[in-house]
Amino acid sequence: MQEFLEAWRGQDEYQNILRGLAAGRPQAVIGMPVLPCALFSAALWQDCQRPLLLLTANEEEAQQLYQNLQAVLGERVLLFPVLELLPFEVYAHNLEVVSKRVRVLAALAAGEAIVVVAWVGAVLRRLPPPAVFQGHRLLLQPGECHDLSALARALTDMGYERVKLVDIPGTFSMRGSLVDIFPIEGERPVRIEFFDDEIDTMRYFNPADQLSQEACPALAIIPAQELPLTEQSRQRALEALEAELAKTAATLRGAPKHNLLERYQPFVENLRQGQWDYGMEQLACLLYPEPYTLLDYINDGMLILSEPEAVHFTVDELADSRRSRYSDMLEAGQLLPSFYANFLDVADFEAALAKRPLLCFSRLPLPEDSLLRQIPFYCRVLPPYYHNPKNLREDCDHFRTQGYRVYFAAGSELRRKRMEEIIAELEFPGVRQPAEVVSVGKDGTLQLKAGILKMKAKADEVRLIEDDERAARKKTPAVTIRQNADRALRASAARELDIRGMETLEAESVVDNFISAAVMGKLDEVTIIHGKGTGALRKAVHDILRRNKAVKSFRLGVYGEGESGVTVVTLK
């Protein structure tokens, strides 16, 4: 994939964009679809080595960009999902979402140069100052001394819930000299044994049977919630909440007043006792009045907007939606007047964008009154080849005869294997086929001939085929097409399929092939990852599974499996 990025770097305009970002000039790249945008962003990040935040106008595009970037940059790319604040929603209890968000905040607060992809609706929430978040980190190692009461207080302020039995992330327990902690982003909990106030041993343990496992050399702990508490912020929020609650309750009567007190009085008690409670995100503006958001966490990093006009429209639309909901819920006693201050308004968002280097991607030219310098980088989008793969062969032959290099990229291992099958079936010349070296250039470039096709390649892109190897291949018995198909199905019998970002039409054939491969591989249960999003892809997957006779049953995932973002399929 790095050769894709090198193609951008060879363009003069790309270098001009780099210089523009260094100088803080706002710019726009015109004409690129999602995949080239991801590759362009990856090249920029590698060249700048600074945090990069890429914002989109919708969640589906954010998921597509995330997957494409992750294929190039790996674990350096993180997704920042949306966490709804409205009291009647349940997303605040979604540990998977919370874990992803705090992981991003922890990495950025620590100054890590990562790439963050987010729907703009996910970044409008107020957050604590980066210094506060960074200050709430713990590193525990054997031999260190810690006061157990102070450790319990620190974990509570970081959003960890004290329980009797630790079995899910974000919890801890204390029993005598034993302290169990399950970090919010950890795969396994850790059991810490103290001798007096000194850490004697640290071992991982299985949350299912609570049995200790191998030793843990050190345990790094980040906050379990977005709003770690300090004594100052807790006292400030307590005073502000009591005053606002009394003032608002005085204006209400009957059920609305009862609803308000029933909803917010527990927060008052928890703040007095120094306890964290789910739903306290609603008090963000009281805990930390300064208007910090994710945009402040990237510090001197880069900011990219995909389709800037659509992003700004989404920000306006979300603000209007909050205002309409806010008014009704305020009258019903479900919200406090300060709730709306938990979000950036349109003016705040515009001001935040103006503080850092800005690059935009737009498929179409922006209005003439735009202040952005517009650079055309038009990319041709090839038609789908679902129903006529031969057209793929013809197009690729045409491009290669014109001197282009043709690369094939797949979004998953299953797709890669299927792509190799198609290439083999179409008998692409020069793809894993013998070629004759016609000449060698001064720079070492080889001029090759494969059948009627001529091409160029670097020495490290080819390998020498000895005559005896070629003869051995000729003696290999032929295998029927049917045997090849069966063998391919068995080889591709994976237990997991990721179709996030696919169109419904594409997903249908991919899911059917995946189920067929699983049946041939004699698997009894497989998982399909479709993401949460709008639910359209999940519904399409369920419709496909209902029609498939090889499917015995299916269900949504539970905690630890991906919840409603995955479907677990049992095969007959």
Side-chain angles (χ1 to χ4, degrees), residues 241 263-271 277-280 283:
L241 179 58
R263 186 178 300 277
Y264 284 97
Q265 197 60 45
F267 292 151
V268 173
E269 297 303 321
N270 285 326
L271 286 171
D277 188 19
Y278 291 109
M280 276 192 178
L283 310 179

Side-chain angles (χ1 to χ4, degrees), residues 383-396:
Y385 297 100
Y386 303 130
H387 304 297
N388 196 346
K390 291 184 179 180
N391 287 347
L392 172 63
R393 160 72 184 272
E394 293 172 1
D395 286 349
C396 288

Side-chain angles (χ1 to χ4, degrees), residues 256-298:
K257 182 175 182 177
H258 174 76
N259 291 339
L260 185 73
L261 295 176
E262 184 179 43
R263 186 178 300 277
Y264 284 97
Q265 197 60 45
F267 292 151
V268 173
E269 297 303 321
N270 285 326
L271 286 171
R272 283 177 181 162
Q273 299 172 15
Q275 298 292 328
W276 173 267
D277 188 19
Y278 291 109
M280 276 192 178
E281 294 93 347
Q282 301 172 53
L283 310 179
C285 61
L286 304 182
L287 289 162
Y288 300 102
E290 304 88 351
Y292 287 96
T293 68
L294 185 65
L295 297 172
D296 297 291
Y297 276 69
I298 66 171

Side-chain angles (χ1 to χ4, degrees), residues 53-56 58-60 62-63 66 77-85 91-92 94-105 115-125 127 226 294 500 531-533 563:
L53 174 60
L54 205 165
L55 297 181
T56 69
N58 60 72
E59 291 184 82
E60 287 188 9
Q63 191 67 243
Y66 167 68
V77 183
L78 300 177
L79 183 69
F80 193 70
V82 65
L83 180 64
E84 185 58 74
L85 263 188
Y91 297 118
N94 189 323
L95 283 176
E96 185 179 359
V97 172
V98 172
S99 175
K100 289 180 179 179
R101 287 175 66 94
V102 297
R103 183 184 176 195
V104 169
L105 296 179
V115 179
V116 180
V117 184
W119 171 52
V120 68
V123 306
L124 299 178
R125 288 260 312 274
L127 298 169
E226 295 181 20
L294 185 65
R500 289 174 295 184
K532 296 175 182 177
E563 300 176 328

Side-chain angles (χ1 to χ4, degrees), residues 396-410:
C396 288
D397 286 350
H398 169 73
F399 289 133
R400 297 173 75 183
T401 55
Q402 296 297 313
Y404 291 96
R405 286 188 180 184
V406 178
Y407 297 92
F408 293 90

